[in-house]
Amino acid sequence: MKGLTLRNLHKTYFDLNMGSRVTAVQDVSLHIREGEFVAVVGPSGCGKSTILNMVAGFLPATKGEVLVGDRPVKGPGPDRGVVFQNFALFPWKTVIDNVGFGLKMRGIPKPERDRIAREFLALAGLTNAADRYPNELSGGMQQRVGVVRALANEPDVLLMDEPFASVDAQTRMTLQEELTRIWQERRHTVLFITHDVGEAVFLADRVIVLSKGQVLREIDIPISRPRAWDTVSEQDDFKRLSSEVLQMVRSA
Amino acid sequence: MSQLGQVLEQYGRWAARWPTIAALVPFLPIVALWWGVAAAEVFPRAFFPGPLEVVNGFAVLTYKGILPAYLEDSIGRLALGAACGIAIGVPLGLLVGLNRAAHTALWPLVLFFQAIGDIAWLPLLLIWFGFGLTTMTFVIVYTVIFPVVFNTALGVRSIAPELVRAALSLGASRIAVLREVILPGALPNIMTGLRNGLGYGWRALIAAEIIVGTSGIGFMMFDARRAGSAVEIVIGMIVLGLLWYVVDAWILAPIERATGQRWGLIARS
Ligand SMILES: Nc1ncnc2c1ncn2[C@@H]1O[C@H](COP(=O)(O)OP(=O)(O)OP(=O)(O)O)[C@@H](O)[C@H]1O
Ligand SMILES: [Mg+2]
């Protein structure tokens, strides 16, 4: 496990429709400590996905740099596991082969990677889904696979871009609780992108509010763990922090 | 009306249980009509043979070994064409689908040469290669390649960029991305291209055999014309249809079902 540092990140796009440059991310600096869970919230179009894509190495930064530990990011790599909003599971691979994919890329033989993959599947209650294809699973199950696939590769940092945005509200709460549970056991360094304020406050140690490509504010979330929705949602701390963050996001 | 609906529904259930027999049922009225017209002797029997004469002719040709030998020639050419078409078409399609520069450079050529069409090449091919296997192989490979290139490129472009990104952040190399994401992702389209390509190729081959003619089903049919044997021509036609049915329904369609449909990439039909 390692920390994650964003140093003076800039991103400008060339907008083909307008024929001009658009600044999506402007001088964002951020340090996520080893084992810390940081959520970034902000209104649509404020540059959240752009930041995550630069951290993941999918997009080159216009200026600035990203460091995993003290190693600069040059492109996508297995040190940063990514969970996608639309799951991005390989449709032609069974669940167990999806989860074992990273291990396969490392040259680990099939029996060994199946054993490891099964352990991780059990972690998310997916033992019975091992031999199914992704299109045979519900959205909630697919995203469990997405999370577990990233975890099984033992990345230093976990990057998640609105991972629960496309499942129904009940499933989302369950997934959020499962994520906090798994995170508490393994203490990954997490960068979690969302536009859902409640989700950010519920999950994170620290919430970053983003506005027009810039960090507006950082708020620590000192709510005790383990966190479960029935108890957390009743806490005054949670209510106060949520409304505080919400006001900031709305003014952003 | 609702009674007809019920009958059709029942038939649908029955057909699902006995697919092989169900595939034959639609031909019954056609054969009956054929029989009727032939028996009524609307046309002279020698020009318009009935089903029985054709079945008879079929037995004789098979017994003499002519039909099996010609069939073997035609199928061999089809297989050769398919193999070459895949070997050239798939890599070319991947290149065009993956690389913008390759797309810019090759696409106009692909469109241009596809438009020329296989048979249009024949006069020139006959000058170059004469009446022989080379000419026929060229025609069939030419016909198979374009649909394969087109559909492979289409398949590559239809792959969600997230899948490539996911593979890269799980540690996949460029080659691994090609093997684990691009190829399987494009496979349903490649199969569609192959299915179309072989369909066109099969027809082009028969045309080439008729013109180039040394052996094969097409040659047999044209040769029968010289001898005035309508029976052999009809046999040739039936064999063409049957063979394609077998290739499509027993080989290509099952592969499509096992890949694209199983993975949810293509809707089940
Ligand atoms: N490829 C691109 N070309 C041009 N402009 C882009 C491109 N991608 C994003 N942008 C612009 O950059 C800004 C930030 O986009 P980004 O996708 O990072 O926002 P976001 O915060 O993730 O929004 P959402 O919550 O809707 O996902 C937006 O104004 C968007 O229009
Ligand atoms: Mg986004």
Side-chain angles (χ1 to χ4, degrees), chain A residues 53 58-59 76-78 80-82 84 86 88-93 101-102 104-105 133 135-136 149-150 153, chain B residues 159 162-173 176 179-182 184-186 261-265 268:
Chain A
N53 287 334
F58 300 148
L59 275 181
R80 283 147 293 140
V82 182
F84 298 84
N86 49 9
L89 301 178
F90 305 118
W92 42 86
K93 289 181 182 294
F101 185 82
K104 184 178 183 185
M105 294 301 106
Y133 283 91
N135 73 313
E136 298 166 342
R149 179 178 69 176
N153 205 29
Chain B
I159 294 168
E162 269 84 35
L163 292 182
V164 175
R165 290 179 163 187
L168 288 172
S169 19
L170 288 164
S173 62
R179 191 187 58 228
E180 305 277 345
V181 181
I182 306 293
Q261 286 184 10
R262 180 87 209 263
W263 306 332
L265 297 177
R268 279 159 217 268

Side-chain angles (χ1 to χ4, degrees), chain A residues 13-15 24 43-50 162 195:
Chain A
Y13 288 110
F14 187 78
D15 192 317
S44 181
C46 71
K48 303 183 296 291
S49 296
T50 304
E162 310 209 17
H195 62 255

Side-chain angles (χ1 to χ4, degrees), chain B residues 144 147-148 151 188-201 203 244 247-249 251-254 256-257 261 269:
Chain B
V144 173
V148 173
N151 284 283
N189 285 90
I190 294 176
M191 284 308 301
T192 306
L194 196 59
R195 216 168 155 181
N196 291 339
L198 286 182
Y200 303 145
R203 275 168 266 176
W244 181 250
V247 169
D248 193 72
I251 302 175
L252 299 177
E256 264 193 346
R257 273 198 297 278
Q261 286 184 10
S269 51

Side-chain angles (χ1 to χ4, degrees), chain B residues 100-262:
Chain B
R100 187 162 272 287
H103 186 270
T104 314
L106 294 177
W107 204 243
L109 294 178
V110 171
L111 287 181
F112 179 82
F113 282 105
Q114 187 201 28
I116 293 176
D118 37 75
I119 298 299
W121 276 91
L122 264 182
L124 199 55
L125 291 175
L126 288 174
I127 294 177
W128 288 349
F129 304 120
F131 292 81
L133 181 63
T134 316
T135 301
M136 281 186 284
T137 309
F138 187 101
V139 166
I140 186 163
V141 171
Y142 192 93
T143 320
V144 173
I145 279 180
F146 289 103
V148 173
V149 172
F150 258 79
N151 284 283
T152 305
L154 187 72
V156 169
R157 282 160 170 249
S158 69
I159 294 168
E162 269 84 35
L163 292 182
V164 175
R165 290 179 163 187
L168 288 172
S169 19
L170 288 164
S173 62
R174 295 255 148 215
I175 286 292
V177 169
L178 189 67
R179 191 187 58 228
E180 305 277 345
V181 181
I182 306 293
L183 268 181
L187 190 60
N189 285 90
I190 294 176
M191 284 308 301
T192 306
L194 196 59
R195 216 168 155 181
N196 291 339
L198 286 182
Y200 303 145
W202 183 229
R203 275 168 266 176
L205 176 68
I206 300 308
E209 282 178 351
I210 286 179
I211 297 169
V212 178
T214 47
S215 69
I217 298 293
F219 171 72
M220 183 189 87
M221 290 166 69
F222 207 63
D223 205 37
R225 183 204 63 111
R226 222 173 321 165
S229 166
V231 171
E232 280 182 32
I233 297 175
V234 175
I235 290 173
M237 291 164 72
I238 293 175
V239 167
L240 291 183
L242 270 185
L243 203 69
W244 181 250
Y245 184 85
V246 168
V247 169
D248 193 72
W250 293 1
I251 302 175
L252 299 177
I255 297 179
E256 264 193 346
R257 273 198 297 278
T259 55
Q261 286 184 10
R262 180 87 209 263

Side-chain angles (χ1 to χ4, degrees), chain A residues 5-100:
Chain A
T5 311
L6 284 62
R7 209 176 268 162
N8 307 105
L9 269 190
H10 284 262
K11 181 71 194 183
T12 51
Y13 288 110
F14 187 78
D15 192 317
L16 288 173
N17 296 324
M18 302 206 296
S20 62
R21 303 183 142 275
V22 189
T23 301
V25 174
Q26 206 177 346
D27 198 26
V28 167
S29 293
L30 178 66
H31 177 71
I32 304 178
R33 290 183 298 277
E34 201 176 314
E36 188 185 16
F37 196 125
V38 168
V40 174
V41 282
S44 181
C46 71
K48 303 183 296 291
S49 296
T50 304
I51 290 178
L52 186 126
N53 287 334
M54 287 191 287
V55 174
F58 300 148
L59 275 181
T62 310
K63 256 197 291 183
E65 60 177 352
V66 176
L67 303 168
V68 177
D70 47 19
R71 224 170 41 81
V73 160
K74 299 234 169 53
D79 53 337
R80 283 147 293 140
V82 182
V83 182
F84 298 84
Q85 177 174 349
N86 49 9
F87 323 139
L89 301 178
F90 305 118
W92 42 86
K93 289 181 182 294
T94 56
V95 165
I96 195 165
D97 287 344
N98 263 282
V99 175

Side-chain angles (χ1 to χ4, degrees), chain A residues 141-185:
Chain A
M141 284 167 90
Q142 290 190 40
Q143 194 55 303
R144 285 188 179 91
V145 177
V147 172
V148 157
R149 179 178 69 176
L151 290 177
N153 205 29
E154 312 220 315
D156 293 319
V157 180
L158 197 59
L159 309 173
M160 309 174 92
D161 189 357
E162 310 209 17
F164 307 145
S166 47
V167 297
D168 65 87
Q170 265 72 42
T171 310
R172 187 178 313 140
M173 290 170 101
T174 317
L175 288 172
Q176 288 160 351
E177 288 179 340
E178 281 177 18
L179 181 63
T180 56
R181 193 199 79 224
I182 292 172
W183 177 79
Q184 244 186 308
E185 285 170 20

